[in-house]
CSV table of all heavy atoms in Angstrom, one decimal:
chain,number,residue,atom,x,y,z
A,74,CYS,N,127.7,96.5,270.8
A,74,CYS,CA,126.6,97.5,270.7
A,74,CYS,C,126.4,97.9,269.3
A,74,CYS,O,127.3,98.1,268.5
A,74,CYS,CB,126.9,98.7,271.6
A,74,CYS,SG,127.3,98.3,273.3
A,75,ILE,N,125.1,98.1,268.9
A,75,ILE,CA,124.7,98.6,267.6
A,75,ILE,C,124.3,100.0,267.7
A,75,ILE,O,123.5,100.4,268.5
A,75,ILE,CB,123.6,97.7,267.0
A,75,ILE,CG1,124.0,96.2,267.1
A,75,ILE,CG2,123.2,98.1,265.6
A,75,ILE,CD1,125.2,95.8,266.3
A,76,GLY,N,124.8,100.8,266.7
A,76,GLY,CA,124.3,102.2,266.6
A,76,GLY,C,123.5,102.4,265.4
A,76,GLY,O,123.6,101.6,264.4
A,82,HIS,N,115.7,107.6,265.1
A,82,HIS,CA,116.8,108.0,266.0
A,82,HIS,C,118.0,108.6,265.1
A,82,HIS,O,118.6,109.5,265.5
A,82,HIS,CB,117.3,106.9,266.9
A,82,HIS,CG,118.5,107.2,267.6
A,82,HIS,ND1,118.6,108.2,268.5
A,82,HIS,CD2,119.8,106.6,267.6
A,82,HIS,CE1,119.9,108.3,269.0
A,82,HIS,NE2,120.6,107.3,268.5
A,97,PHE,N,130.0,99.0,267.9
A,97,PHE,CA,131.1,99.4,268.9
A,97,PHE,C,131.0,98.4,270.1
A,97,PHE,O,130.0,97.7,270.3
A,97,PHE,CB,131.0,100.8,269.3
A,97,PHE,CG,129.7,101.3,269.9
A,97,PHE,CD1,129.6,101.3,271.3
A,97,PHE,CD2,128.6,101.6,269.1
A,97,PHE,CE1,128.4,101.7,271.9
A,97,PHE,CE2,127.4,102.0,269.7
A,97,PHE,CZ,127.3,102.0,271.1
A,123,GLU,N,119.9,105.9,276.5
A,123,GLU,CA,119.4,105.2,275.2
A,123,GLU,C,118.9,103.9,275.7
A,123,GLU,O,119.7,103.0,276.0
A,123,GLU,CB,120.6,105.0,274.3
A,123,GLU,CG,121.2,106.3,273.7
A,123,GLU,CD,122.3,106.1,272.6
A,123,GLU,OE1,122.6,104.9,272.3
A,123,GLU,OE2,122.7,107.1,272.0
A,125,GLU,N,117.6,100.2,275.2
A,125,GLU,CA,117.9,99.2,274.1
A,125,GLU,C,117.5,97.8,274.5
A,125,GLU,O,117.6,97.4,275.7
A,125,GLU,CB,119.4,99.2,273.7
A,125,GLU,CG,119.9,100.6,273.5
A,125,GLU,CD,121.2,100.8,272.7
A,125,GLU,OE1,121.7,99.7,272.3
A,125,GLU,OE2,121.6,101.9,272.5
A,154,ASP,N,122.2,102.2,277.1
A,154,ASP,CA,123.5,102.5,276.6
A,154,ASP,C,123.7,104.0,277.0
A,154,ASP,O,123.4,104.9,276.2
A,154,ASP,CB,123.5,102.3,275.1
A,154,ASP,CG,124.7,102.9,274.4
A,154,ASP,OD1,125.7,103.2,275.0
A,154,ASP,OD2,124.6,103.1,273.1
A,156,THR,N,125.4,107.5,277.2
A,156,THR,CA,126.3,108.1,276.3
A,156,THR,C,126.6,109.5,276.7
A,156,THR,O,125.7,110.3,276.9
A,156,THR,CB,125.7,108.1,274.9
A,156,THR,OG1,125.3,106.8,274.5
A,156,THR,CG2,126.6,108.7,273.8
A,175,LYS,N,131.2,106.2,275.6
A,175,LYS,CA,130.3,105.1,275.7
A,175,LYS,C,130.7,103.9,276.6
A,175,LYS,O,129.9,103.1,277.0
A,175,LYS,CB,129.9,104.6,274.4
A,175,LYS,CG,128.9,105.5,273.6
A,175,LYS,CD,128.4,104.8,272.4
A,175,LYS,CE,127.3,105.6,271.7
A,175,LYS,NZ,125.9,105.3,272.2
A,241,PHE,N,123.7,94.8,272.5
A,241,PHE,CA,122.8,96.0,272.7
A,241,PHE,C,122.4,96.3,271.2
A,241,PHE,O,123.2,96.6,270.4
A,241,PHE,CB,123.6,97.2,273.2
A,241,PHE,CG,123.8,97.2,274.7
A,241,PHE,CD1,124.5,96.2,275.4
A,241,PHE,CD2,123.2,98.2,275.5
A,241,PHE,CE1,124.6,96.2,276.8
A,241,PHE,CE2,123.3,98.2,276.9
A,241,PHE,CZ,124.0,97.2,277.5
A,243,GLY,N,120.6,98.7,269.8
A,243,GLY,CA,120.3,100.1,269.2
A,243,GLY,C,119.1,100.7,269.9
A,243,GLY,O,118.3,100.0,270.4
A,244,THR,N,119.1,102.0,269.8
A,244,THR,CA,118.0,102.8,270.5
A,244,THR,C,117.1,103.4,269.6
A,244,THR,O,117.5,103.9,268.5
A,244,THR,CB,118.7,103.8,271.5
A,244,THR,OG1,117.6,104.3,272.4
A,244,THR,CG2,119.2,105.1,270.7
B,334,ZN,ZN1,123.0,103.0,271.8
Side-chain angles (χ1 to χ4, degrees):
C74 307
I75 304 300
H82 171 61
F97 57 96
E123 296 188 354
E125 311 200 358
D154 164 22
T156 304
K175 284 188 171 276
F241 279 65
T244 196

